[in-house]
Amino acid sequence: MIFLVLINASVFIMLSFVHVYWAMINNEDMRGVLPTDTNGKEVFQPGVIGTFAIAAFLGICAFITIGNLGIYESFINHSIITYGTILIGFLFIVRAIGDFKYAGFFKRIKGTCFSANDTRYYSPLCLFVGVCNIIIAFI
C-alpha cells in the first residue's frame, strides 16, 4: 500500500506544480492541454484563478492520499481520510470516462491535438490514479 500511496501522491504533487506553472505563464496557446472543437477553438478558458484552484485541489488530493499512511491520525479521523480517498478515486474515474463529448475515453470529438493527448495520456492517467485510490482506500 505504501508504494501506491507514494506513486499517487507523487503524481498529484507533480500535476499540481504543472498547473501552478500554467497559471503563472498564462499562455494563450495551449492547444494540447485544453479541449477544442473540430474548428480548433478552445471549449473554455479556465483563467488564472481556475488553474490555481485545480492546482490546490490536486495538492489536497496528495494530502488526503498521504493521510492513508496514518500520519494524520492524531489530528484527523481515519474514516474521513478513507472517504476522501474513495471520493478522489471516483472523481478521477469519472474524469477518465469523460463528458461523452470532448474528454475521456468515450468522447465524440476526435482528431484534435487535445483529443490525441487525452486518449494517450490524460484519461489513462486519471483511470490509473482513480483505481489506485480505490485500492488504497480498501486495503
Side-chain angles (χ1 to χ4, degrees):
M1 178 175 94
I2 292 172
F3 181 71
L4 287 177
V5 168
L6 293 177
I7 291 293
N8 264 15
S10 298
V11 168
F12 286 138
I13 291 168
M14 192 170 37
L15 289 175
S16 178
F17 285 145
V18 168
H19 281 79
V20 167
Y21 170 74
W22 285 337
M24 292 175 68
I25 65 167
N26 196 14
N27 191 354
E28 297 295 323
D29 187 30
M30 299 181 75
R31 281 176 291 210
V33 178
L34 296 173
T36 56
D37 60 11
T38 54
N39 297 328
K41 185 174 187 272
E42 292 175 347
V43 177
F44 66 93
Q45 291 282 339
V48 175
I49 294 172
T51 309
F52 273 125
I54 295 297
F57 170 73
L58 291 167
I60 291 168
C61 289
F63 179 82
I64 291 171
T65 303
I66 291 169
N68 286 286
L69 296 176
I71 60 176
Y72 309 136
E73 284 188 359
S74 59
F75 306 108
I76 302 172
N77 189 352
H78 189 69
S79 64
I80 294 172
I81 297 292
T82 302
Y83 290 134
T85 304
I86 293 170
L87 177 65
I88 291 167
F90 280 125
L91 286 174
F92 277 89
I93 290 171
V94 167
R95 163 54 184 94
I97 292 170
D99 63 353
F100 300 103
K101 190 165 184 181
Y102 295 109
F105 287 121
F106 301 105
K107 63 184 156 289
R108 285 179 290 167
I109 305 294
K110 298 181 181 190
T112 64
C113 185
F114 173 80
S115 174
N117 286 340
D118 186 55
T119 301
R120 198 173 303 130
Y121 305 115
Y122 310 147
S123 292
L125 180 64
C126 288
L127 183 64
F128 173 77
V129 168
V131 169
C132 283
N133 262 31
I134 299 297
I135 292 170
I136 288 167
F138 288 110
I139 289 183

